Amino acid sequence: MEIRVLKYFLAVAREGSVTGAANSLHLTQPTLTRQLQDLEKELKQQLFVRGKHKIVLTPEGIILRKRAQEIIDMVEKTQAEFRSIHDIVSGDIYIGGGETDSMQYIAEIIKEIQDDYPDIKFHIQSGNAGDVTEKLDKGLLDFGILIQPVDLSKYDYITLPGKDVWGVIMRKDSPLAEKKQIKLEDLRGLPLLNSRQAMRKMSSKNEFIEWFLGEFENLNTVVTFNLVYNAAVMVKKGVGYAIALDKLVDTSGESELCFRPLSPKLESGLDIVWKKYQVFSPAAKLFLERLQAKFGK
């Protein structure tokens, strides 16, 4: 498979038609069609179902789209690293992580580097722990920000200062809004929105799960989420109560929503991690040095 052809394939998947993709790629339609046919022959798989008005990916095409995008991302990242080898004042740094107020610590370092090296570009990708570690392991990210607890055996890391507080996001007209803190008995039977990241860790030691005293699986979880912004939209519409970290949703005086911490108090620290024996680009190495200088280790 050639990188060029994979880019053609992704363009067709994105546009939903050969004509639209050909126009965006500045190719003739017959040329693009022939390239796609050759790709299907090479893989011995049908990648598209060709309808009258739209092309739809087959299950095999969906698999290739995911892998092709990862390959293209890796190629572009590698090219950027080599361009910056002899010039530390430029390059790209890729950071993945979940939503957290502790991102402010990373933002401080980004601002410092931006002031000193304006040609360094940062790429922030949101995702849960599984998404982030998968991309780290594949080399698509330089650093990941992970909410504790997390398995750090494959990574070097720095623990960031401060901790995020867990609680419940709810409408201000909710009966629970009259409480200053939310206890386990307050949540029984209520429709809840829960973090998919927290639920994926149910098989390992997890302070979040332990807070529920063995009742987590029996909770009335009606929605799971990766991004708390989407959960907040659901809460506003009365879908349920979101168990989430503080300071990620607007709960100011003008907001429809409020936040109440869990009782007993539940907090989570954060680690910024990178692969052991990682060979960094000059830009990423500079970022790590700033991290170590500011937060130790």
Side-chain angles (χ1 to χ4, degrees):
M1 289 182 291
E2 297 182 27
I3 298 299
R4 170 179 54 83
V5 178
L6 290 180
K7 289 182 177 180
Y8 293 170
F9 166 78
L10 289 174
V12 175
R14 181 180 63 250
E15 298 291 338
S17 74
V18 174
T19 301
N23 290 336
S24 69
L25 295 167
H26 306 292
L27 295 173
T28 64
Q29 185 171 334
T31 297
L32 181 55
T33 298
R34 185 171 61 254
Q35 294 285 350
L36 295 175
Q37 290 172 343
D38 290 344
L39 180 60
E40 288 183 316
K41 289 179 181 178
E42 179 183 357
L43 296 176
K44 299 179 181 179
Q45 299 289 343
Q46 182 179 354
L47 302 175
F48 302 97
V49 176
R50 296 164 176 82
K52 291 184 178 180
H53 304 292
K54 188 176 179 64
I55 284 182
V56 179
L57 292 177
T58 63
E60 293 79 9
I62 292 173
I63 293 172
L64 180 61
R65 180 176 61 183
K66 182 176 185 296
R67 298 306 180 197
Q69 190 61 62
E70 291 175 348
I71 292 169
I72 299 301
D73 289 345
M74 178 60 77
V75 168
E76 292 178 350
K77 184 175 184 293
T78 302
Q79 290 172 337
E81 287 174 350
F82 274 93
R83 285 195 299 267
S84 67
I85 282 177
H86 301 294
D87 188 1
I88 197 172
V89 299
S90 66
D92 296 88
I93 300 172
Y94 296 82
I95 304 171
E99 297 169 298
T100 167
D101 184 57
S102 292
M103 185 61 77
Q104 62 179 298
Y105 301 115
I106 304 303
E108 290 173 4
I109 294 180
I110 290 176
K111 182 61 170 63
E112 292 174 4
I113 293 177
Q114 187 181 53
D115 290 341
D116 295 337
Y117 303 95
D119 290 332
I120 290 180
K121 307 301 180 186
F122 291 85
H123 307 273
I124 309 297
Q125 300 182 25
S126 296
N128 61 29
D131 299 328
V132 172
T133 54
E134 180 183 1
K135 287 184 170 63
L136 271 173
D137 294 343
K138 291 179 177 178
L140 298 173
L141 294 175
D142 297 307
F143 302 93
I145 302 170
L146 304 177
I147 299 174
Q148 298 171 355
V150 64
D151 181 5
L152 298 172
S153 59
K154 296 190 295 183
Y155 309 105
D156 289 321
Y157 66 95
I158 293 174
T159 298
L160 297 175
K163 291 191 174 183
D164 287 338
V165 177
W166 287 93
V168 182
I169 299 170
M170 65 191 78
R171 292 170 56 101
K172 287 181 177 176
D173 58 5
S174 164
L176 282 188
E178 298 178 4
K179 295 178 176 288
K180 293 183 178 180
Q181 298 176 321
I182 304 301
K183 298 182 179 180
L184 177 57
E185 53 262 33
D186 298 321
L187 300 175
R188 293 188 181 111
L190 293 179
L192 300 179
L193 292 78
N194 271 303
S195 163
R196 191 171 298 122
Q197 176 174 336
M199 298 182 73
R200 285 180 64 176
K201 293 182 178 180
M202 291 179 67
S203 60
S204 61
K205 180 176 174 59
N206 184 317
E207 293 176 357
F208 176 85
I209 300 298
E210 290 175 354
W211 186 91
F212 294 91
L213 303 176
E215 296 187 33
F216 190 82
E217 292 186 58
N218 298 323
L219 295 176
N220 183 23
T221 300
V222 297
V223 173
T224 64
F225 63 88
N226 281 350
L227 299 177
V228 72
Y229 175 85
N230 294 333
V233 172
M234 300 285 180
V235 174
K236 286 181 182 179
K237 293 297 183 182
V239 173
Y241 300 78
I243 302 176
L245 297 172
D246 194 9
K247 300 180 181 179
L248 300 182
V249 171
D250 179 16
T251 55
S252 62
E254 297 180 356
S255 173
E256 303 172 50
L257 305 178
C258 62
F259 177 89
R260 297 292 183 264
L262 296 176
S263 177
K265 190 174 185 179
L266 179 62
E267 297 177 316
S268 289
L270 289 106
D271 299 307
I272 182 162
V273 308
W274 58 96
K275 288 198 323 184
K276 288 184 176 180
Y277 314 112
Q278 173 80 12
V279 178
F280 287 115
S281 68
K285 184 178 179 181
L286 173 65
F287 179 79
L288 177 58
E289 290 171 351
R290 296 289 179 98
L291 274 174
Q292 293 171 327
K294 197 172 189 69
F295 304 122
K297 193 172 179 180

